[in-house]
Amino acid sequence: MRSPLHEWTLEPQEAMALQRRLASRAERRDRIDEVHHIAGVDIGFEDDGETTRAAVVLLAWPGLEVLEEVVHREPTRMPYIPGLLSFREIPAALGAFERLSQRPDLVMVDGQGIAHPRRLGVASHLGLWLDLPTLGVAKKRLCGKHGEVPAGRGEWTPLIDRRRDEDPEEALMDEAGRVIIGAMLRSREGVKPVIVSPGHRISQATALEWVIACLGRTKLPEPTRLADRLASRRGKAFTSEKRQGDISYPSRPRHDR
DNA sequence: GCGACAG
DNA sequence: ATCTTGTCGC
């Protein structure tokens, strides 16, 4: 997948064309080895968006202890355009992964996997570049429809979309020819559901299983929650470079997100 | 033509 | 995403 021809600064039209080509290579079937390490990824911005800050947290499975964390900063290359998010966030994410001492067996990304108009959300795109199993955990919907989401923790409802650039071999379709692109998961009672969708080398069912397995008492699963905190300016004063081992964080009263 | 629109 | 204080509830 790694190709020097893949420019990260592209015109919207070119970026969309590239997404269509890459989407056909994103696998929706499980191709995961034994999971011992799970990584959480999230991106933040500084200086009015001039700088992109990528955070990666490596956790042990089972146990979810934090083994390593990396924060990487670099100049932002593209503006935010709905549907083209990966081109803006992935370069920095790759920089952070290069500094990680070991490759995880599964990566959880803040954003969509295939729950995307062209079936290539940031989680899918990143998975192709890293050639690792990835899944997306998003807080908001990009496309697709769904019914009411059950109230109980761990319950979910499928996120359905009309058929678009689908690969009949991999797509999960219903009798009406529509596609299941993700799941609206109630990760916590009384809180808006998160959207879980496969990124690369993982199925919808397995993606959901892993997210549920990594759920704590908060809305976001541990990998994404920790990466989110690290990438957010909340951790700014404490995330100068890279740290390892057991780390204690200053706990501030927060309620959501 | 009129909304919707990840982070 | 980011800018921001207090406030409500487990």
Side-chain angles (χ1 to χ4, degrees):
Chain A
M1 212 59 252
R2 203 168 219 99
S3 158
L5 298 178
H6 189 145
E7 295 294 330
W8 292 105
T9 302
L10 300 169
E11 290 306 310
Q13 293 300 312
E14 306 175 305
M16 289 171 66
L18 178 53
Q19 289 183 318
R20 291 200 167 82
R21 269 180 279 143
L22 294 177
S24 63
R25 305 183 59 161
E27 301 169 25
R28 303 185 189 184
R29 289 188 309 170
D30 293 317
R31 211 181 100 208
I32 305 179
D33 300 317
E34 281 189 31
V35 175
H36 293 149
H37 300 99
I38 300 176
V41 192
D42 190 29
I43 275 68
F45 297 88
E46 302 172 359
D47 315 322
D48 278 303
E50 307 264 317
T51 303
T52 301
R53 174 183 53 227
V56 176
V57 177
L58 188 71
L59 309 177
W61 176 263
L64 300 174
E65 299 91 359
V66 175
L67 301 177
E68 188 177 349
E69 349 185 71
V70 174
V71 174
H72 169 78
R73 294 178 170 78
E74 63 173 65
T76 301
R77 316 195 188 198
M78 280 193 55
Y80 166 66
I81 300 172
L84 300 182
L85 177 70
S86 62
F87 292 89
R88 175 174 166 84
E89 302 195 336
I90 290 183
L94 294 177
F97 266 92
E98 282 176 15
R99 292 206 217 166
L100 209 55
S101 68
Q102 57 185 309
R103 278 163 66 78
D105 305 300
L106 173 64
V107 181
M108 293 180 43
V109 185
D110 190 313
Q112 316 289 354
I114 64 168
H116 175 282
R118 288 168 294 286
R119 307 293 178 259
L120 195 85
V122 61
S124 307
H125 200 163
L126 182 61
L128 284 170
W129 275 83
L130 296 174
D131 188 27
L132 285 175
T134 59
L135 63 84
V137 179
K139 296 178 287 298
K140 288 191 289 189
R141 184 190 58 84
L142 211 209
C143 64
K145 301 172 183 171
H146 63 84
E148 304 232 331
V149 185
R153 180 174 182 276
E155 298 195 284
W156 56 278
T157 293
L159 177 62
I160 309 285
D161 198 15
R162 49 164 280 197
R163 212 188 145 166
R164 302 204 191 180
D165 306 317
E166 307 304 331
D167 175 346
E169 296 290 301
E170 309 258 320
L172 224 62
M173 294 185 281
D174 63 12
E175 61 291 325
R178 294 181 309 172
V179 198
I180 294 177
I181 58 175
M184 303 299 297
L185 171 68
R186 188 128 262 153
S187 54
R188 185 182 176 181
E189 299 175 356
V191 176
K192 218 212 306 189
V194 293
I195 303 159
V196 178
S197 61
H200 180 47
R201 291 172 54 173
I202 195 169
S203 66
Q204 173 62 59
T206 303
L208 204 43
E209 285 173 11
W210 277 110
V211 170
I212 291 175
C214 292
L215 241 35
R217 353 175 158 168
T218 53
K219 170 177 180 170
L220 298 175
E222 289 302 281
T224 290
R225 183 183 71 85
L226 295 171
D228 194 272
R229 187 171 68 177
L230 195 57
S232 182
R233 75 182 343 289
R234 272 163 278 157
K236 201 173 185 180
F238 309 94
T239 60
S240 53
E241 270 299 306
K242 166 181 176 180
R243 294 183 298 174
Q244 293 186 25
D246 45 76
I247 303 154
S248 61
Y249 298 90
S251 58
R252 307 191 73 83
R254 289 200 295 124
H255 309 283
D256 196 321
R257 262 236 33 173

